Amino acid sequence: MELPVKTFRVTRADLVRYAGASGDFNPIHWSDRFATKVGLPGVIAHGMFTMALVGRAVTEWAGSPDAVVEYGVRFTRPVVVPDDDQGTEIEVRAVVREGAEPGLTRLDLTATCLGEKVLAQARATIRGTVAGG
C-alpha cells in the first residue's frame, strides 16, 4: 500500500535556521561562491535537515513521534537550494511492507528533489499501523 505523498518546501531561510539550531555553519549551506568552488552545483541543504524532513513525514504517517521504532537512510544526492523565495521541494513517498514483527509496520521510503532520489535505503519501522494512510 502506498501512502499519501508528503511535500516539504526548503528555502535558504530554512537553511539559516537549521544552521543556527545545529551549529553547522559550513559555507556549502549558505555561500554559492564557496559551494561551486568545491564542485557543488550550488548551496545545498544539510543532509541531516533532509533526513529530518523525511522523519517528519514518517511521524505524521505513524500518528506520533514515539511510534517510530527505527529509522535510517543513506545520502545519495545533495538537495540544491536556489537563492530565491521559492527554494525547492522534497517529496517523500512511502510503501507499507509486510513481514515486520507483530505490532510493527515497515515503511520503505523514497525522497526526491526535482525528480532525483536524494536518499537510498531509506526505511522506517513504526509501532502499530499507519495513521496517515
Side-chain angles (χ1 to χ4, degrees), residues 1 13-14 42 53 55 73-74 98 103-104 106 121:
M1 164 176 71
D14 294 319
L53 292 175
V73 306
R74 291 195 188 253
E98 300 298 323
L104 300 178
R106 183 176 138 195
Q121 298 178 14

Side-chain angles (χ1 to χ4, degrees), residues 37-93:
K37 186 178 176 181
V38 299
L40 293 168
V43 165
I44 63 170
H46 304 74
M48 294 304 288
F49 180 60
T50 302
M51 185 177 178
L53 292 175
V54 177
R56 182 187 304 172
V58 171
T59 62
E60 289 175 9
W61 288 316
S64 172
D66 65 351
V68 180
V69 175
E70 186 174 25
Y71 170 52
V73 306
R74 291 195 188 253
F75 303 104
T76 57
R77 182 179 302 273
V79 173
V80 179
V81 181
D83 188 12
D84 60 20
D85 293 335
Q86 301 304 310
T88 194
E89 287 185 340
I90 296 173
E91 289 188 347
V92 185
R93 292 175 169 73

Side-chain angles (χ1 to χ4, degrees), residues 2-129:
E2 273 192 49
L3 299 179
V5 175
K6 304 279 184 183
T7 303
F8 300 97
R9 180 157 302 284
V10 180
T11 66
R12 292 279 179 100
D14 294 319
L15 302 185
V16 170
R17 285 189 285 273
Y18 185 81
S22 69
D24 181 352
F25 295 101
N26 187 323
I28 64 172
H29 303 304
W30 56 266
S31 169
D32 280 305
R33 183 177 46 82
F34 187 86
T36 56
K37 186 178 176 181
V38 299
L40 293 168
V43 165
I44 63 170
H46 304 74
M48 294 304 288
F49 180 60
T50 302
M51 185 177 178
L53 292 175
V54 177
R56 182 187 304 172
V58 171
T59 62
E60 289 175 9
W61 288 316
S64 172
D66 65 351
V68 180
V69 175
E70 186 174 25
Y71 170 52
V73 306
R74 291 195 188 253
F75 303 104
T76 57
R77 182 179 302 273
V79 173
V80 179
V81 181
D83 188 12
D84 60 20
D85 293 335
Q86 301 304 310
T88 194
E89 287 185 340
I90 296 173
E91 289 188 347
V92 185
R93 292 175 169 73
V95 175
V96 176
R97 295 289 182 211
E98 300 298 323
E101 296 177 33
L104 300 178
T105 301
R106 183 176 138 195
L107 303 177
D108 286 347
L109 308 164
T110 303
T112 58
C113 181
L114 301 175
E116 300 280 344
K117 283 178 75 171
V118 297
L119 300 176
Q121 298 178 14
R123 294 184 189 94
T125 301
I126 62 171
R127 194 173 294 109
T129 56

